[in-house]
Amino acid sequence: MIRFDRVSKRFHAHRQRPRSFHELFVEGWRLWRRPPAEVFWALRDVSFEVKPGETVGLIGPNGAGKSTVLKLVARVLKPTSGRVEVWGRVAALLELGVGFHPELTGRENVFLNGAFLGIPRREMARRLEAIVAFAELEDYIDVPVKHYSSGMYVRLAFAVSVYLDPEILLVDEVLAVGDAAFQRKCVDHLMALQQAGVTILLVSHDLEAVQRLCHRALWFDHGRIRMEGMPSSVVQAYLDQVREREDQALRDHNRQEGPARRGSGRVRIQRVYLTDGEGRERYHFETGETMRIHLRYRAEKRIERPIFGLAIHRQDGVHICGPNTAFSGFEIPWVEGEGEIIYTIPTLPLLEGTYLISVAATDERDSEIFDYHDRAYVFRVVRGRHPERYGLMTMGGRWDHERLSVPQSLSVL
């Protein structure tokens, strides 16, 4: 249904000329001489095919070229080089409200979109009731769409697209605008279209939806296809790269000098870093993994029975815990010179989110603060293979079921 053969797409970005004589006078002649256009390649030498009835997901970071692919299929853009071949009637849901005239009512825009695709007005009238019902706009269909909320806009746009009997459906990220109930309805309808043999090209940052809906996935990176294959494999490879980049950014952040600190300085915490169960320095963890927090210190003089502690806050400020060596009954007789304290969490109970760590060293009476770093270190928790997704942490509990009685009708059977 769709074939890309060594397709590239180039854009030119021109700097703005002076908008007034005053601006020209102030900025000088250099603004009048338009500099050479900056060239941006949205796609470079891209080749792939989509077979009839396939649902293919396009994933990757913003600016990777995914939406450009959809616009080329929809004939909104032409390739700079290469060849794009499309067989079949295309319905595209590319951007919120594209193809809608703001001054026209929802009803008039339905007929307008049908006219764009060459569908007779009588046929569109036959489909109108189903479109309005799906979009849940019965009370607003005769209101100009300029008065619609973003959710109403996208509901109508999606309903029109899927009820035009497309052979190829292009869906960009706009589905995220709808509420949760409408998103579920959209997914159900996409599955029905799949059963009917419609070819679907889906751009989404919802990687779970890509794995659930798509037969194949293409990972785009800087205008090229980096990986193609089964959605689960492609998504995992993409997530691994994203986490590797984020992990490096967190590592750089946590190593920067000069954290917000206070204290007498008789013991100084010189470095804080995290490792996993295999001793690798990391700042991304999955729920349930082993995580170790290392506090490397230096004491210029001998300090008797110091206490080391830490606190973990969620990014929104919720204080989760504040363990220290005294609470755990872990006595350190004295410190002098350099050393390291390690706090091990065998099974990390935190659910997905961003977390901040504070660290401290105090005297045995907790009256003198030697060193205190307030929420200076960051780590991320991702779901990974853990099924829970709601709340702050997993309790690690166990479910049991005990039947206390059996209905009389079932006991007879």
Side-chain angles (χ1 to χ4, degrees), residues 176-188:
V177 178
D179 58 28
F182 187 73
Q183 288 180 32
R184 286 193 294 270
K185 181 190 287 190
C186 291
V187 169
D188 291 343

Side-chain angles (χ1 to χ4, degrees), residues 6-281:
R6 301 180 66 84
V7 173
S8 297
K9 179 59 183 176
R10 179 184 61 211
F11 293 99
H12 294 279
H14 294 280
R15 295 183 182 177
Q16 190 174 25
R17 280 183 171 178
R19 292 166 292 183
S20 66
F21 180 78
H22 178 265
E23 186 175 295
L24 174 62
F25 179 78
V26 172
E27 297 295 332
W29 177 253
R30 64 179 182 83
L31 281 176
W32 182 253
R33 295 181 59 199
R34 174 176 292 195
E38 296 179 3
V39 174
F40 169 67
W41 289 93
L43 295 176
R44 294 297 297 263
D45 199 28
V46 170
S47 298
F48 68 91
E49 293 184 358
V50 180
K51 298 177 182 178
E54 254 194 319
T55 299
V56 177
L58 310 184
I59 67 172
N62 291 330
K66 308 181 299 296
S67 295
T68 301
V69 168
L70 296 193
K71 291 175 181 177
L72 288 168
V73 175
R75 307 299 191 193
V76 175
L77 299 175
K78 292 183 179 180
T80 303
S81 63
R83 188 172 181 178
V84 178
E85 298 177 338
V86 180
W87 294 272
R89 185 168 59 253
V90 178
L93 190 56
L94 301 181
E95 296 177 13
L96 187 62
V98 168
F100 282 0
H101 192 296
E103 299 295 335
L104 300 181
T105 67
R107 183 189 304 273
E108 291 166 337
N109 272 293
V110 170
F111 287 105
L112 180 63
N113 274 259
F116 285 157
L117 292 177
I119 299 177
R121 184 177 181 85
R122 179 179 299 177
E123 180 62 22
M124 287 306 299
R126 186 180 65 82
R127 304 179 190 186
L128 179 64
E129 184 177 349
I131 291 172
V132 175
F134 188 91
E136 302 171 5
L137 292 173
E138 291 88 345
D139 296 333
Y140 303 96
I141 194 62
D142 292 310
V143 174
V145 297
K146 67 181 181 181
H147 298 303
Y148 283 13
S149 67
S150 59
M152 295 163 69
Y153 235 112
V154 76
R155 293 205 305 268
L156 183 60
F158 185 86
V160 170
S161 297
V162 298
Y163 276 94
L164 292 181
D165 290 340
E167 295 169 296
I168 300 172
L169 178 63
L170 311 178
V171 183
D172 208 337
E173 194 63 46
V174 293
L175 290 183
V177 178
D179 58 28
F182 187 73
Q183 288 180 32
R184 286 193 294 270
K185 181 190 287 190
C186 291
V187 169
D188 291 343
H189 199 79
L190 286 178
M191 289 180 173
L193 292 176
Q194 286 179 323
Q195 295 296 321
V198 175
T199 302
I200 302 173
L201 210 54
L202 173 68
V203 169
S204 180
H205 290 292
D206 185 348
L207 301 180
E208 290 186 12
V210 170
Q211 294 182 84
R212 186 169 68 252
L213 293 171
C214 298
H215 303 110
R216 279 192 302 131
L218 306 179
W219 169 15
F220 280 80
D221 190 15
H222 293 93
R224 300 180 184 272
I225 296 178
R226 181 154 181 174
M227 185 176 178
E228 175 180 357
M230 294 295 295
S232 57
S233 301
V234 176
V235 166
Q236 188 59 54
Y238 172 59
L239 286 176
D240 288 344
Q241 190 220 44
V242 169
R243 290 170 187 170
E244 182 178 338
R245 290 180 177 177
E246 290 185 350
D247 203 73
Q248 184 60 51
L250 291 173
R251 183 181 288 111
D252 293 342
H253 174 275
N254 292 338
R255 285 181 176 177
Q256 67 183 0
E257 295 184 3
R261 67 196 306 171
R262 59 186 173 89
S264 66
R266 292 208 294 152
V267 177
R268 292 183 66 85
I269 299 172
Q270 296 183 307
R271 186 185 173 206
V272 175
Y273 65 100
L274 310 183
T275 60
D276 60 18
E278 298 179 2
R280 297 171 298 187
E281 184 176 354

Side-chain angles (χ1 to χ4, degrees), residues 271-296:
R271 186 185 173 206
V272 175
Y273 65 100
L274 310 183
T275 60
D276 60 18
E278 298 179 2
R280 297 171 298 187
E281 184 176 354
R282 283 172 49 194
Y283 298 91
H284 262 82
F285 292 86
E286 294 184 7
T287 301
E289 279 194 294
T290 297
M291 185 177 86
R292 294 188 174 93
I293 304 174
H294 301 251
L295 284 64
R296 191 164 292 179

Side-chain angles (χ1 to χ4, degrees), residues 354-371:
T354 300
Y355 299 88
L356 307 174
I357 298 176
S358 304
V359 296
T362 69
D363 68 352
E364 63 176 316
R365 295 183 179 85
D366 200 21
S367 59
E368 179 186 354
I369 298 175
F370 299 135
D371 201 3

